[in-house]
Amino acid sequence: MEETRKLASSIHPGSGAWDVIIVGSGAAGGMAAFQLATAGVKVLLLEAGRMIDGQKEYRTMEWPYASLRRGRLPEGERPIAVAEYNMYDRPYGNHPEFAPYKKLMSYAGSTFTRNWVVNEKEHPTTGTPFAWVRARILGGKTNFWGRGALRYGPLEFKAASHDGYDVDWPISYEDVKPYYDRVDELLGCSGTKEGLMQVPDGIFQRPSKLNCVEVHFKRAIAKLDRHYIPGRAGVTTDGVLSKYRARCMGRGRCGRGCDLNASFHSPTALIYPARDSGHLTVRPQSIVSEVLFDEATNKAAGVRVIDGVSRDVMDFKARVVILGAGALESTRILLNSRSRRYPNGLGNSSGVLGCYLSEHLMGIGGSGYIPIRKGTAPTLDDGRPVAPYVPRFRNLTDRHPRFIRGYHFQGGGGCAEYPAMAHEIEGFGSAFKEQVREWYPAPISLGGFGEVLPRKENRVLLDPEVKDAWGIPVLRFDYRFGDNEMKMVEDMAEQIEEMLTVAGAENIQVRREPLPPGWSIHEIGTARMGEDPKTSVTDKFCRLHDVSNVYLADAAPFVSGGTQNTTWSILAMCWRTMDFLKEEMKRGDI
Amino acid sequence: MWRIGYVPEDLREQELVSVGGVTRRGALKALGAGVGGFALWPYLSDEGARAFARIQQSQAPPTLRFLTPAQYKDLDALAEAIIPADRHSPGARAARVADYIDLLLSESDEETQATWTDGLSEVDRLSRERFQASFALLNAAQTTELLTEMSKHERDPQSGLEKFFKTTKEATVRGYYTSEIGIHKELGYKGNQHLPEFVGCKTVDGEPCPHCGQKP
Ligand SMILES: Cc1cc2nc3c(=O)[nH]c(=O)nc-3n(C[C@H](O)[C@H](O)[C@H](O)COP(=O)(O)OP(=O)(O)OC[C@H]3O[C@@H](n4cnc5c(N)ncnc54)[C@H](O)[C@@H]3O)c2cc1C
Ligand code: SF4
């Protein structure tokens, strides 16, 4: 907090001269800052949250018995749970049922993340249910992300050519591949070369191995021509050249923040090294409300900031504005940047800003017990950053009769810290204990991620009435799963059941209902890229068609999102955009 | 059981927790049957958590916050009967499960508290009726007799007692397997330590695996 206060009060308009302003410090803002500052560009990074000291705040190794809370939040604080996203009217913040709670968080609020995830009372949303996870802290959601580091491949960039639905990205895998490679080398990515076109290989460090139940499952589903491969993790297992990061020591508690910083977290991996260049200024507690527009030049002039503590309003100026506040937040800032020329939001002459919101279907999964491990001695099965992965197998070369696009499964098995299966074992006494021990090494469970088709009508707008704690209009969601998604859901459930059956699993349980929209935390789109300014918001370098000095560094320009988790693509795409920007700056075009 | 990396530590727990606080009946209806309709569960404050950490370490006699000494004794006996000390490891009593439940109850809403006090008094009533003694004083055979009855329809409990068994068992399982005894002595969990390298199934390295018997 000390550092936050010092930084926030020492940096104000006029206290420095900056070429570029970056909004947000997650994967997108971090990569943008790193690329520009290390190239000598003077950068001001504006982050809505406070600074973070990972050494203190990442409680990586804490045992549950260190506190009786055991994952529960203190009185007065609580996360909104699954059903509530469907049950209660938004905005939650104003809902009388939640009045007794001091703090209300999205579902990702746990004892480990509760100081990072936003309070829904301060940050409400309206419209259809959307489980929107936001972290306002240096590094954003990369402090506790799941580390699944997958590339999009040709099937994503050219999805429309493959099945005729919607449009292709205006770029191809070949355009982005060199940047994925560089991201792998800079940040470290663990995995195995598999030669699968649906999820291209990268430059990998040592993989997370499979444990016993997983090897069994892999062999079983090979009979169905399906793959089960070590998860690809945004974690350095062999080390990277960085004084801030150690290599992975297999504690398996990365989701609370990895205090060795073996896992990619934007602060240690990107922002601190960028700051060491001497060209990056970070201003925390700086909430950007809009991009300032200069009618005379048709260019952005800077951004308006509300100080999170003093609430002072300040206008920071620069030659270039880069938005990396997270796809939906960046779009919200643009929608809120209204001028005579762009009354519906900056860069929105097409009217498609806010449209084509997409993410992944989640919730369909299955579990069971692999008999070969029943009754065997426990082994260390979860000391690694990610579980294995079943890559997409639908609509690769064939054509599924009921739906287009595809899905993948993630998940593994073996001994875990908490024996969740104990809740399913009947009885009591020593016999009960013994049965828990017997099953303890045997469980396996996998969950699916399916592509939600980008659709124009799935969109966000500014709510005309409701505002957040800083007086900024909140997002109103109009987002639903469609027919293709529901057909996919059926197939996902059937296929996970079949795979577990083929593996000879006992006590198979299948979850057939999707989780509410937003659950995947993989939101993409709402400022999609394209060649035609009439149907897209940015060009193929993530720059607004309308205003040539505003760039998007996050997933807002993404056209479609495949089944792959988003972060590695954000990092690669952002690097590519920054290379383009640096060229423009060199040429003097900006 | 259904867990994957993305669902915060334990989705199931989250669902139960939410149900504990907000229009429980409405919430339960929306969640559908089966999602722990009777595992009513509160939060614990920082202060409560610290107090428990002290109790655990000191082996001190309980400082009750909600339950009466008689209720505590019955609950302690109930938890110990569900997860007893045996040749393999200490049980729920040594893991201070009843203290854990008492602390949580001291911070829960009245409806949750009533579920537990009603349940305990029904257990007491039955025990006195049948054996003229409180539950805590029953011998092993008598305890087993009552628990066998109470757990008869565990999948789909009907009577108040059957539901209370399930509630108590959920809490006991949660308290026990998150305790030091549960994690280390009972299950022998090996994770959460610094490893130079993760060794999975040995077949991955081309050897027959001693843990699962699979061949490379
Ligand atoms: C529990 C969890 C698991 C996940 N697992 C995975 C995974 O396995 N693989 C994967 O690829 N992805 C995963 N993700 C998603 C991943 O974290 C995001 O894709 C990634 O962090 C997005 O980066 P970003 O920079 O776009 O946004 P963020 O990381 O959200 O960063 C945005 C930043 O902008 C700041 N900001 C927002 N609004 C403003 C404003 N108005 N003014 C100033 N600053 C602002 C925020 O404070 C924040 O710091 C997971 C996320 C979570 C929470
Ligand atoms: S498994 Fe690796 S990345 Fe995860 S917390 Fe441990 S050291 Fe960090």
Side-chain angles (χ1 to χ4, degrees), chain A residues 155 158-166 392 395 399 404-405 451 453:
Chain A
L155 276 180
K158 299 291 169 216
S161 299
H162 196 66
D163 57 28
Y165 176 78
D166 196 30
R392 170 174 165 187
N395 294 318
R399 223 184 147 126
I404 57 169
R405 310 284 160 100
E451 174 165 353
L453 290 182

Side-chain angles (χ1 to χ4, degrees), chain A residues 60-61 147 234-237 246-265 382-386, chain B residues 193-194:
Chain A
T60 318
M61 302 288 279
R147 307 155 307 284
V235 164
T236 172
T237 44
R247 77 169 181 87
C248 176
M249 296 298 283
R251 293 96 43 90
R253 293 295 181 277
C254 349
R256 309 161 172 191
C258 168
D259 55 11
L260 298 174
N261 292 300
S263 168
F264 161 69
H265 303 310
D382 61 352
R384 51 178 187 187
V386 289
Chain B
Q193 53 168 308
H194 291 81

Side-chain angles (χ1 to χ4, degrees), chain A residues 126 166 183 398 419 540 544:
Chain A
T126 62
D166 196 30
V183 171
D398 57 340
K540 62 182 180 191
L544 293 188

Side-chain angles (χ1 to χ4, degrees), chain B residues 1-152:
Chain B
M1 187 202 67
W2 186 82
R3 276 151 65 99
I4 60 163
Y6 262 59
V7 179
E9 309 262 307
D10 188 340
L11 169 63
R12 169 196 190 110
E13 174 74 358
Q14 297 276 337
E15 292 180 52
L16 299 185
V17 165
S18 100
V19 168
V22 178
T23 49
R24 189 170 301 116
R25 288 193 188 80
L28 280 178
K29 217 184 278 158
L31 282 165
V35 190
F38 14 82
L40 304 173
W41 219 221
Y43 298 109
L44 192 68
S45 70
D46 283 324
E47 196 204 333
R50 279 194 295 272
F52 183 74
R54 281 198 299 275
I55 294 175
Q56 265 182 319
Q57 277 147 24
S58 68
Q59 299 292 315
T63 325
L64 296 182
R65 297 176 167 236
F66 173 69
L67 298 170
T68 65
Q71 287 170 330
Y72 173 85
K73 281 200 192 112
D74 281 354
L75 178 59
D76 192 42
L78 203 49
E80 180 69 11
I82 293 171
I83 304 188
D86 56 15
R87 268 194 319 204
H88 194 263
S89 72
R93 178 166 293 141
R96 310 294 296 239
V97 166
D99 299 69
Y100 158 74
I101 296 172
D102 174 60
L103 274 164
L104 291 174
L105 285 174
S106 73
E107 296 184 343
S108 14
D109 60 30
E110 282 172 18
E111 198 177 336
T112 307
Q113 291 174 339
T115 310
W116 286 79
T117 43
D118 293 353
L120 286 168
S121 68
E122 241 196 284
V123 170
D124 186 58
R125 192 187 49 72
L126 180 67
S127 166
R128 286 179 196 280
E129 198 177 280
R130 184 105 33 110
F131 305 114
Q132 294 76 48
S134 75
F135 187 83
L137 295 178
L138 301 186
N139 65 32
Q142 294 166 330
T143 307
T144 305
E145 185 182 321
L146 290 195
L147 279 189
T148 306
E149 270 176 50
M150 287 169 70
S151 63
K152 199 139 91 222

Side-chain angles (χ1 to χ4, degrees), chain A residues 73-81 84-85 88-110 113-125 132-134, chain B residues 17-18 21-22 43:
Chain A
L73 296 164
E75 254 181 327
E77 294 183 19
R78 79 194 272 295
I80 302 175
E84 289 166 358
Y85 278 102
Y88 289 112
D89 300 332
R90 265 127 298 265
Y92 293 113
N94 302 343
H95 201 283
E97 290 283 4
F98 294 103
Y101 297 98
K102 283 201 301 268
K103 198 171 166 190
L104 195 62
M105 281 163 281
S106 65
Y107 77 88
S110 70
T113 60
R114 69 189 168 108
N115 296 325
W116 310 334
V117 175
V118 300
N119 184 348
E120 301 264 346
K121 289 186 174 184
E122 294 175 353
H123 299 271
T125 61
W132 189 17
V133 176
R134 287 153 289 170
Chain B
V17 165
S18 100
V22 178
Y43 298 109

Side-chain angles (χ1 to χ4, degrees), chain A residues 24 27-28 47-48 136-137 140-141 146-148 286 288 521 565-567, chain B residues 6:
Chain A
E47 164 54 49
R136 286 203 167 180
I137 180 90
K141 289 184 290 234
R147 307 155 307 284
S286 307
V288 173
I521 328 183
N565 316 29
T566 321
T567 309
Chain B
Y6 262 59

